[in-house]
Amino acid sequence: MPDRSFLTWPFFEDRHRAFAEKLDAWAAVNVADIDHHDTDAACRTLVARLGKDGWLKHTAPSVDGSERIDVRTLALARETLARHGGLADFAFAMQGLGAGPISLFGNDAQKAAWLPKTRAGTAIAAFALTEAPSGSDVANITTTATRDGDGYVIDGEKYWISNGGIADLYVVFARTGEAPGARGLSAFIVSADNPGLSVTERIDVIAPHPLGRLRFDKCRVGADALLGKAGDGFKIAMSTLDVFRTTVGAAALGFARRAFDEAVQRASTRKMFGGALADLQMVQAHIADMALEIDAAALLIYRAAWTKDMGAARVSREAAMAKLYATEAAQRVIDTAVQIHGGDGVRSGHPVEMLYRDIRALRIYEGASDIQKLVIARAVLSSSER
Ligand code: COS
């Protein structure tokens, strides 16, 4: 039985507690029966189900502005879905991240064109930032968007794009050249049916989800595709990541909680040395370490989410701390859970074996752990008197 005591923490309101309970019950029915043999189909089914039953409404604001993004709700959703299945979390999260630049920086027409569809699960979204030569180094992306009459022509390649191949819309970051480096980038909405866009490779990874390489070849978009102002692209990417990085930590927390529950169950029932595994002090030390890391991760995640929800303009430091700590801690918790399971822990298809594969990418995507350390250190140094 997962620990629910954290829901009484002062970060949450009654609506958060009700949301977490309801989604947990929903996921127990709607995630469990997904057929994972065809990853694309599984992801499409999950997006459709999450949309039909209203959960995706939380990934983007409503067009009339009456429903806004609440980071605590996003984090609770990811934590809950991740406990039930990595792909369910992925399907939910990508609707938020993919549409994130439109939610945060889109004008009324852009929001009206796309957000009702991503919120209903009838359009799948993708965030196309990363490139092969400039993974972590966003300021050096090489895809270009050249002014052409009223619109722009995009040329270049994007790599490691989640939902690449099944998305209906891509938010694409490209160099428009207002200034060198970070100040010369812009963000565009590109519909998947644009003839200048093709998916040139599908990528297999240890925890399967839709992932691809995109090619832009004289990909023409209108002026209405530009998000915010030309030159704002870096800020748009970073501000979007400020919101969603906290939720990556939350997904890691969900994986860790599931691994912890599996480990406690195993330690309590497995007979060894004349008693249960849990009677052994060395196993108890493992359980104490896991419980501590889970609570510490949760505190950092919900501190960051609460701070953003309370209206903070920048939460780069808090979000980076939450993502860094929660993903690294979850890796340790899951590794310990595998250890407590012995041979069963590495058996293909065992829940802790799947978690062991699920967690690894979270220490890399949306800013690798090393990048989060950079962000934290820069925030600390820039606010100290030097
Ligand atoms: N919100 C708003 N503005 C931000 C910002 C944020 N979170 N972070 C940086 N900026 C601004 C800076 O203030 C700076 O503005 P000025 O030029 O006006 O001073 C500008 O953007 C450039 O920032 P910085 O100098 O920090 O950029 P760097 O090129 O040194 O890179 C890192 C910063 C490495 C932290 C950034 O490139 C990064 O996060 N990389 C990881 C990318 C990532 O997460 N990829 C995964 C994609 S999704 S799977």
Side-chain angles (χ1 to χ4, degrees), residues 71-109:
V71 187
R72 288 165 294 173
T73 303
L74 284 179
L76 283 171
R78 292 200 65 178
E79 169 177 348
T80 305
L81 291 170
R83 252 195 306 104
H84 288 273
L87 199 63
D89 163 60
F90 170 88
F92 176 89
M94 279 313 303
Q95 291 301 93
L97 178 68
I102 306 175
S103 301
L104 300 175
F105 295 91
N107 58 33
D108 288 349

Side-chain angles (χ1 to χ4, degrees), residues 40 90 94 126-132 157-167 170 197-205 209-216:
D40 286 0
F90 170 88
M94 279 313 303
F127 185 79
L129 175 67
T130 302
E131 299 181 354
E157 223 175 52
K158 294 284 172 185
Y159 200 28
W160 299 114
I161 305 307
S162 288
N163 278 343
I166 69 162
Y170 296 86
L197 163 60
S198 51
V199 179
T200 52
E201 182 187 350
R202 299 299 303 275
I203 307 162
D204 290 330
V205 284
H209 63 265
L211 196 61
R213 184 198 291 265
L214 313 178
R215 171 101 209 125
F216 297 87

Side-chain angles (χ1 to χ4, degrees), residues 136 138-139 183 234 238 241-242 245 314 316 366-367 378:
S136 296
V138 173
R183 291 177 177 199
F234 190 90
M238 293 301 130
L241 291 170
D242 272 359
R245 275 178 180 159
R314 282 273 300 259
S316 309
E366 284 184 51
R378 285 181 184 185

Side-chain angles (χ1 to χ4, degrees), residues 220-231:
R220 193 173 298 276
V221 292
D224 57 352
L226 177 69
L227 282 161
K229 293 199 306 293

Side-chain angles (χ1 to χ4, degrees), residues 18-27 30 46-47 49-60 73-74 77 81 92 118-120:
F19 174 87
E21 296 292 342
K22 223 174 128 199
L23 180 57
D24 194 44
W26 181 90
N30 290 281
L46 282 162
V47 171
R49 284 186 185 180
L50 285 161
K52 182 174 136 296
D53 290 339
W55 301 109
L56 294 178
K57 281 188 186 159
H58 298 280
T59 61
T73 303
L74 284 179
L81 291 170
F92 176 89
T118 62
R119 281 164 52 99

